Amino acid sequence: MSWLAEFEALIAEGKGQSIEEFWLSKLELGVDDPDPFLAANLALRRAGKKKEALLLLELAWEQAREQKAWRAVRAFAEECLRLGVGDQAKLRADLEEAIRHLWNGRPSLSALLAHFNLRQHKNPVDACEELETWLRHDVGEVFAMAGRGPGRVVEANPKVGVLRLDFEKEKKVPVPIGAASRHLFPLPPGHFLRRRLEEPAALRQELLADPPDALVALLRSFGKPLSVAEIREALGSLLADSEWASWWNKAKKSEFVVAEGKGASVRYRALAASEAVEELGQRFAAADFAEKLELARRAKKGTPLAREMAQALLAAAQREPAKEAFAALDAARKLGAAEEDVARAKATILEKQPALELARELTEASHRQEVLQYLLDRGDAEALAGWLFLETNPRLLRLAAEKLLELGERAKLEQFFGQVFLHPARFAAAWVWAMELTEGPVAKLVAAKKNPAAVLRLVDAGERKEFAPYRARIRALLSPSSWVAEVLKKDLTEEQARRLYHILQAPGVLKEERAWLKRAVLARFPQLAAGAAEDTAVPALPKTVAWLRQQLDNLLHREIPATLKAIQTAREEGDLRENFEYHAQRARQELLSARAAKLQADLSRIKLIEPAQVDTSKVRIGCQVELQAPEGSTRTVAILGPYEANPEAGIYSHASGVGEALLGRVVGDEVQLEGKTYRIARIAPVDEAHVPLREAL
């Protein structure tokens, strides 16, 4: 039972002498903590014994003065002043003396005491409370303010009731003293935010040297769980945006940091060293599979807890889907699981699900390699052949291909390459890999495919979104150090060079590579430069250009591959001399290839028509012209490029008779069109929305 409870029991018994004796005995033991005395005195007053209570309060004040217990002196003096008991002048003097001792060393103490003058103030208790508010926010004290971070008080002016603080980015920010307690949060020495203000360079070095320890120190400074956003805000400018992700991924792996909650509500808390292992084990036992993987990263390899976690993950791996199962195997290895235990768990996974299904599900190349190794060890040619169509990693493609050759399955490998070269966009990773092969038995199978046509395809692939993940590798292929340079020197015909040069004239993503290719082509066929200068541009609206590119895409990646496949099918039917279908498909293939070449050439010479920017002071490409006949009838014609020409709709090519007759004319000019005289009444930009696209080339 506390002494306050004993005191209340005496009050209930009504023994006045016992109450006084008990009070005096407690005073003799010391009054360093005045709170129990104040609570006991209040209880006595509430029991209707106010006179006795005031007498005991005065005794407590005098005892505190004798003991120089300044916290108690202040508390008892304030209470006496509030209740109007005792020598008021002496109480005021004692209150001031207590403040001097309690706040000794504060820069503004003397000035504030003079300003508030507790000895003369009409309400010394309220004045003392306001005085201490100023002292808590005195010059030199450091606080945090939401949205501004840490700052130091540089000025305290009670005359106007305003503090001024220097923050990291803003100086002399005014804060009314009445708002200080609500908006300024004190930062004791050693607090992370205070160190950010006072020693940013040293703190940054600590952050970079040991991210996990730095995160623990940050969280312990705040004394509460923080969200990722709050942690990032606490770091301020100590870390650049480019450094944050890497730092955070390292920091959150600390064994002393735990995440609480899920999704947007997740918070991170720092554990004490003594509770870290126990807490981690409990959380791991109760967690779902995904959280178990995250928590496993926090355990120290080789510890009893790490071994328990490893066994639990190996057991879970045999129940989970492929992707999660292999992640569990990885985690178990990192925790120190015996390799034979990992091998047994992996064997169970591989026996449970077909290898090709695993290949479709696994996104990590290291996981797919484990499955591929299983097939390599078994020498399963059918599965390996199927694997090639699913794989994207060049090293794993090489392993599977070489194993097929070793097994004598050259035909299966040739069939795979046949599909890859027929549909490069569908098998983009495998096609780029095949173009990269230079040595070994597999490279010999594709050597013949490294020809001028392949160079054209590489240039095209470098600009296509399907090949975006492999663009860096395509850049390397289209460089002077690759086989492409040799093909340009020895195998390129003038017609192929002309097609390639036209393609390279158009702008593209691979600027440096295209520039080098142009130089290489012109070095072999310098006459192309003169021919290119004579070419005329092909004007076209933006939507027409987009349509032309769709048509080219359809030719290159659907119609031509389908025709080549039909040729292959027809070839397999026997004697080609009597094979009508074979010859028909060959003719179609040549037609489509010529059409594609023409489109590529035209697209390389496109000059965009921007109607909104056309100067209508005279008739130009992109203008709509209103013509007036002598009898008053009108006719409207538009002058565009060859791919928009549609005379039935009044749209003429710039190279047509109508186009040549109108270009360069101004309003008021008379022109002869199709045997009839017209006067130009008006020139305006073409309304692109009313220009129909062709249905076909």
Side-chain angles (χ1 to χ4, degrees):
M1 180 184 296
S2 69
W3 78 259
L4 180 58
E6 293 181 51
F7 189 78
E8 289 175 341
L10 291 175
I11 294 174
E13 293 174 6
K15 298 178 179 179
Q17 186 175 352
S18 298
I19 291 171
E20 184 177 343
E21 290 174 354
F22 185 86
W23 181 270
L24 292 172
S25 69
K26 293 303 177 185
L27 289 178
E28 289 176 1
L29 294 175
V31 291
D32 288 337
D33 182 4
D35 294 339
F37 291 95
L38 292 173
N41 197 265
L42 177 61
L44 188 59
R45 295 201 305 272
R46 285 177 174 172
K49 299 182 181 298
K50 183 176 180 181
K51 184 177 179 181
E52 293 89 339
L54 296 179
L55 177 61
L56 295 181
L57 181 61
E58 282 192 78
L59 291 173
W61 165 47
E62 291 173 356
Q63 184 71 15
R65 292 177 66 209
E66 287 181 14
Q67 296 179 5
K68 296 186 177 180
W70 298 112
R71 180 167 169 258
V73 170
R74 182 195 62 186
F76 295 147
E78 282 184 342
E79 189 73 351
C80 287
L81 287 167
R82 192 176 64 79
L83 295 172
V85 61
D87 186 330
Q88 296 293 298
K90 190 180 290 186
L91 286 167
R92 287 169 177 264
D94 280 358
L95 184 59
E96 182 180 294
E97 188 67 15
I99 294 298
R100 286 188 186 279
H101 283 87
L102 290 172
W103 295 96
N104 183 40
R106 290 299 171 105
S108 305
L109 177 59
S110 297
L112 289 169
L113 283 171
H115 176 79
F116 285 98
N117 192 5
L118 297 179
R119 297 180 186 234
Q120 301 296 325
H121 203 287
K122 66 178 181 179
N123 192 335
V125 174
D126 288 349
C128 184
E129 182 178 339
E130 188 176 352
L131 168 61
E132 289 194 295
T133 297
W134 281 97
L135 289 168
R136 281 192 292 272
H137 299 87
D138 203 0
V139 172
E141 295 303 299
V142 180
F143 298 87
M145 186 175 186
R148 287 193 167 95
R152 186 184 302 278
V153 179
V154 293
E155 182 184 329
N157 190 339
K159 292 181 180 179
V160 295
V162 171
L163 300 168
R164 292 189 182 275
L165 291 89
D166 280 354
F167 293 95
E168 292 166 306
K169 296 181 180 179
E170 299 175 85
K171 306 302 178 184
K172 294 198 177 288
V173 175
V175 177
I177 192 65
S181 298
R182 297 193 305 275
H183 298 291
L184 298 179
F185 305 96
L187 300 176
H191 192 287
F192 187 89
L193 291 182
R194 182 162 183 156
R195 293 192 63 205
R196 192 179 105 188
L197 180 72
E198 296 176 340
E199 45 179 333
L203 187 55
R204 172 174 165 78
Q205 287 300 318
E206 292 174 20
L207 285 170
L208 297 176
D210 195 337
D213 276 4
L215 177 60
V216 171
L218 187 157
L219 292 172
R220 286 178 178 165
S221 275
F222 281 84
K224 64 178 183 178
L226 299 179
S227 67
V228 175
E230 289 169 330
I231 293 169
R232 181 69 185 96
E233 183 181 0
L235 292 172
S237 60
L238 292 173
L239 291 179
D241 289 342
S242 59
E243 297 173 310
W244 158 252
S246 174
W247 182 88
W248 174 242
N249 286 331
K250 295 174 185 175
K252 67 181 179 180
K253 293 178 182 176
S254 168
E255 60 184 308
F256 299 108
V257 174
V258 294
E260 300 173 337
K262 293 185 177 180
S265 63
V266 69
R267 297 288 185 275
Y268 291 86
R269 177 167 64 91
L271 299 172
S274 58
E275 64 177 335
V277 174
E278 182 181 356
E279 171 86 9
L280 187 58
Q282 291 174 352
R283 287 172 61 83
F284 183 85
D288 58 23
F289 179 78
E291 193 176 357
K292 274 182 165 63
L293 288 178
E294 178 64 28
L295 293 171
R297 296 190 181 99
R298 304 174 186 274
K300 283 190 175 180
K301 183 178 180 179
T303 62
L305 177 60
R307 288 192 288 271
E308 289 178 21
M309 287 181 167
Q311 290 305 312
L313 289 171
L314 290 176
Q318 299 172 55
R319 302 187 299 269
E320 295 292 328
K323 187 175 180 180
E324 289 76 10
F326 277 85
L329 296 182
D330 284 349
R333 285 192 186 98
K334 291 176 182 176
L335 290 168
E339 194 54 45
E340 55 267 26
D341 292 340
V342 176
R344 278 194 295 271
K346 183 168 66 175
T348 302
I349 298 167
L350 293 171
E351 290 166 5
K352 183 176 66 174
Q353 193 170 357
L356 295 186
E357 287 186 16
L358 291 173
R360 291 186 181 92
E361 293 180 22
L362 297 174
T363 55
E364 293 284 339
S366 60
H367 296 162
R368 294 200 305 277
Q369 183 172 352
E370 294 193 59
V371 182
L372 178 59
Q373 190 60 53
Y374 172 75
L375 296 180
L376 295 173
D377 293 341
R378 294 179 59 184
D380 189 336
E382 287 297 327
L384 286 171
W387 185 282
L388 287 170
F389 287 97
L390 303 172
E391 187 54 67
T392 58
N393 183 275
R395 183 167 52 84
L396 302 188
L397 283 165
R398 179 181 57 78
L399 288 173
E402 289 178 352
K403 187 65 176 181
L404 281 176
L405 287 180
E406 182 186 318
L407 295 171
E409 297 289 351
R410 180 188 178 98
K412 285 185 168 59
L413 193 54
E414 288 177 337
Q415 182 183 14
F416 164 68
F417 280 126
Q419 290 298 306
V420 168
F421 288 110
L422 188 61
H423 306 290
R426 187 187 304 172
F427 303 106
W431 183 74
V432 173
W433 166 68
M435 292 291 97
E436 291 172 328
L437 290 171
T438 56
E439 297 178 351
V442 180
K444 292 179 181 178
L445 289 180
V446 299
K449 296 293 185 180
K450 295 179 178 179
N451 52 34
V455 177
L456 287 167
R457 278 197 161 181
L458 277 170
V459 174
D460 177 60
E463 309 297 329
R464 293 171 60 82
K465 63 181 180 180
E466 297 94 326
F467 292 88
Y470 316 107
R471 192 163 284 152
R473 291 160 63 188
I474 292 173
R475 285 183 186 276
L477 285 166
L478 293 174
S479 70
S481 60
S482 81
W483 57 265
V484 169
E486 197 66 20
V487 168
L488 294 180
K489 288 179 183 177
K490 295 182 179 180
D491 303 329
L492 193 67
T493 67
E494 183 171 352
E495 180 56 32
Q496 291 168 334
R498 182 172 288 106
R499 288 176 56 195
L500 177 58
Y501 190 73
H502 280 312
I503 293 171
L504 296 172
Q505 291 288 81
V509 176
L510 308 182
K511 295 180 180 178
E512 294 181 6
E513 291 72 23
R514 295 170 78 95
W516 169 75
L517 287 168
K518 284 172 69 175
R519 292 195 298 272
V521 170
L522 289 177
R524 178 101 186 270
F525 300 100
Q527 64 271 28
L528 293 180
E534 295 173 2
D535 284 344
T536 57
V538 178
L541 293 166
K543 70 176 184 179
T544 304
V545 175
W547 179 79
L548 290 173
R549 286 176 176 155
Q550 289 174 3
Q551 298 303 306
L552 179 60
D553 184 83
N554 183 60
L555 285 170
L556 293 177
H557 302 288
R558 281 177 286 279
E559 292 192 48
I560 291 177
T563 304
L564 291 173
K565 186 174 181 180
I567 291 172
Q568 179 64 29
T569 302
R571 182 184 286 116
E572 293 170 356
E573 292 178 4
D575 188 354
L576 299 182
R577 292 174 298 177
E578 303 294 332
N579 192 329
F580 172 78
E581 181 62 19
Y582 170 80
H583 292 289
Q585 292 297 335
R586 280 296 302 271
R588 174 173 170 75
Q589 190 268 333
E590 292 174 3
L591 175 65
L592 293 177
S593 295
R595 187 178 295 170
K598 174 69 165 57
L599 265 180
Q600 287 174 323
D602 283 353
L603 281 168
S604 72
R605 295 182 290 120
I606 285 291
K607 180 179 180 181
L608 283 179
I609 303 171
E610 300 286 358
Q613 299 176 17
V614 170
D615 179 1
T616 57
S617 61
K618 61 181 178 180
V619 180
R620 306 174 195 272
I621 300 172
C623 285
Q624 184 171 289
V625 184
E626 183 178 323
L627 302 170
Q628 191 171 41
E631 71 276 11
S633 63
T634 60
R635 174 186 177 185
T636 301
V637 299
I639 309 301
L640 293 170
Y643 286 103
E644 289 101 3
N646 184 353
E648 289 78 13
I651 302 172
Y652 293 84
S653 168
H654 68 297
S656 67
V658 172
E660 291 178 348
L662 287 172
L663 286 173
R665 299 301 187 100
V666 298
V667 172
D669 282 359
E670 289 190 351
V671 293
Q672 289 285 327
L673 296 180
E674 301 167 342
K676 191 172 182 179
T677 301
Y678 293 91
R679 184 180 65 83
I680 298 177
R682 181 171 173 268
I683 304 172
V686 165
D687 184 353
E688 186 177 356
H690 290 89
V691 178
L693 288 173
R694 288 188 181 184
E695 295 181 0
L697 287 170

